[in-house]
Amino acid sequence: MTTVSEAIKKRHSARAFTDRDVDIDTVKSIIQIAKQSPSGVNTQPWNVYVLSGDARDKLVNEATSRYDQGKMDGQEYLVYPKEMPDWYKERRRAVGWAMYGAIGIEKGDTEKMMAQGRKNYEFFGAPVGIFITVKNCVGPNGWGHVGHFIQNVCLLAIENGLATCLQEAWAELPKLVREHVDYPEDETLWCGIALGYEDETDPVNQFRTEREDLENFSKFFK
């Protein structure tokens, strides 16, 4: 049995999956357990929409077509801050170039960068796509509660031998996603989650992001 510590350390964003099917009962079990996430006064301000098979493929076909044509919907919330402080820029650039380096994309190679970005809208080949929405009535604390739920999904996926990638890229196509899963107007699309069996042979899954040293973000008092 995978321990919590092992699952946390093993979890990473997989960006290439095999075509092996995922049992829908396994997906249901993951979501069923993930709902035990803490939320203020038990509000549980999340909703979950799962696509596989033809439903997934139809969305992917439309999403990639829109991406190719540059016809995106635009975000319903601010994914990245308009004004980025230096530390934010540095971390964002570091992860971007580390990933590109792992798959042989050089600076300035816009065509390959665009092709890699397109894979977001294919769920990186994962057979299951999950969308997470947040109830509009909640504030920033409610979004944090939904984050607890998402983390549970990621860790439970590890326990079941699966991998995930959290995809805020789908926030660029909220209207299209709504057409396919019919989420109501009182919800905001936060992100997609690619879920499947990781392709461990793909170079994109070989790199790992770094984390700050404990002393750089923690203070202890006694």
Side-chain angles (χ1 to χ4, degrees):
M1 176 66 72
T2 303
T3 67
V4 175
S5 295
E6 290 169 343
I8 291 172
K9 292 177 181 178
K10 187 175 182 181
R11 189 220 63 81
H12 67 279
S13 296
R15 292 182 174 86
F17 294 82
T18 71
D19 58 4
R20 179 181 172 186
D21 287 335
V22 177
D23 188 340
I24 196 64
D25 287 335
T26 299
V27 182
K28 289 179 179 179
S29 176
I30 287 172
I31 296 171
Q32 176 73 10
I33 298 172
K35 73 180 185 182
Q36 296 301 125
S37 306
S39 61
V41 294
N42 198 32
T43 47
Q44 305 171 67
W46 51 75
N47 277 298
V48 184
Y49 303 88
V50 181
L51 287 81
S52 60
D54 289 343
R56 172 215 177 269
D57 295 344
K58 288 178 181 177
L59 174 60
V60 165
N61 288 337
E62 287 195 50
T64 52
S65 176
R66 294 221 190 161
Y67 180 82
D68 292 341
Q69 298 174 63
K71 296 181 178 179
M72 309 301 278
D73 296 331
Q75 303 165 3
E76 293 182 318
Y77 73 95
L78 195 62
V79 175
Y80 300 114
K82 290 182 179 179
E83 296 184 9
M84 300 182 187
D86 289 341
W87 64 265
Y88 194 111
K89 292 178 182 178
E90 290 170 2
R91 292 178 185 175
R92 185 183 182 189
R93 288 169 180 164
V95 69
W97 291 121
M99 183 188 71
Y100 288 146
I103 55 181
I105 298 179
E106 298 180 356
K107 290 185 178 181
D109 195 337
T110 305
E111 185 175 345
K112 287 185 178 180
M113 290 179 187
M114 292 294 291
Q116 180 62 31
R118 187 181 195 272
K119 292 180 181 180
N120 275 286
Y121 304 105
E122 300 171 345
F123 294 107
F124 297 109
V128 177
I130 301 173
F131 291 107
I132 306 295
T133 63
V134 185
K135 288 292 187 182
N136 294 341
C137 63
V138 302
N141 65 321
W143 282 68
H145 302 153
V146 181
H148 301 157
F149 176 86
I150 293 173
Q151 176 75 341
N152 276 0
V153 170
C154 293
L155 299 183
L156 288 163
I158 295 293
E159 182 181 270
N160 285 273
L162 298 165
T164 56
C165 185
L166 304 183
Q167 299 178 271
E168 290 173 327
W170 283 102
E172 294 284 358
L173 287 172
K175 294 178 182 177
L176 178 62
V177 173
R178 179 176 276 121
E179 290 175 11
H180 284 258
V181 303
D182 195 28
Y183 70 87
E185 294 290 339
D186 69 344
E187 297 174 17
T188 297
L189 175 65
W190 182 348
C191 69
I193 303 177
L195 175 71
Y197 292 94
E198 180 180 357
D199 182 353
E200 297 181 352
T201 66
D202 194 297
V204 76
N205 288 332
Q206 305 308 310
F207 93 99
R208 294 291 184 272
T209 53
E210 297 181 353
R211 294 294 187 270
E212 286 292 311
D213 291 336
L214 178 68
E215 294 77 11
N216 290 344
F217 65 89
S218 303
K219 294 182 179 179
F220 299 85
F221 302 90
K222 64 178 182 179

